Amino acid sequence: MLDTDFKFGEVHSLAYDVEPNSEKVQFKNVFNNANGGVVLLAFKAGQKLDTHEAPAEVMVNVLEGEIEFTMNGTTHNIKGGEFLLMGANVPHSVVAKADTKMMLVKIKP
């Protein structure tokens, strides 16, 4: 079963569906099902997500801004228009180098 607040057949702007908030990183689910999902995140510059793991393969797609994405001890600077692929259960962290909006595509192995 698909879980979403968006309607099929309607056009949406990913960059406007989530906005940074100075109190905490913002998350907005586009959709989820048993196989994975898509989530939007928005960071103010300096906000971070501490090291964690995801039980899915992930496409980290930066829409606007820039992040420092560290996985397996390697740090990548990812800017708007760029993406990175990551395997399931890989320890990783994120630090926003600027106000940033990103989309995660999650697919369970």
Side-chain angles (χ1 to χ4, degrees), residues 59-70:
M59 176 184 183
V60 178
N61 182 358
V62 176
L63 304 171
E64 299 176 355
E66 181 179 359
I67 62 169
E68 183 178 277
F69 189 92
T70 302

Side-chain angles (χ1 to χ4, degrees), residues 22-56:
S22 60
E23 294 180 22
K24 63 180 181 172
V25 176
Q26 298 297 296
F27 293 84
K28 181 169 184 174
N29 284 320
V30 175
F31 72 84
N32 284 301
N33 67 20
N35 300 312
V38 175
V39 63
L40 301 174
L41 289 85
F43 298 78
K44 290 297 260 181
Q47 288 180 327
K48 63 183 181 174
L49 297 176
D50 291 328
T51 303
H52 61 285
E53 296 179 12

Side-chain angles (χ1 to χ4, degrees), residues 2-6 14 17 27-41 56-59 61 63 102-108:
L2 186 68
D3 177 25
T4 184
D5 291 333
F6 294 91
L14 292 173
D17 281 324
F27 293 84
K28 181 169 184 174
N29 284 320
V30 175
F31 72 84
N32 284 301
N33 67 20
N35 300 312
V38 175
V39 63
L40 301 174
L41 289 85
E57 295 171 335
V58 178
M59 176 184 183
N61 182 358
L63 304 171
M102 57 189 275
M103 176 179 66
L104 301 180
V105 178
K106 306 174 289 180
I107 300 172
K108 294 183 181 175

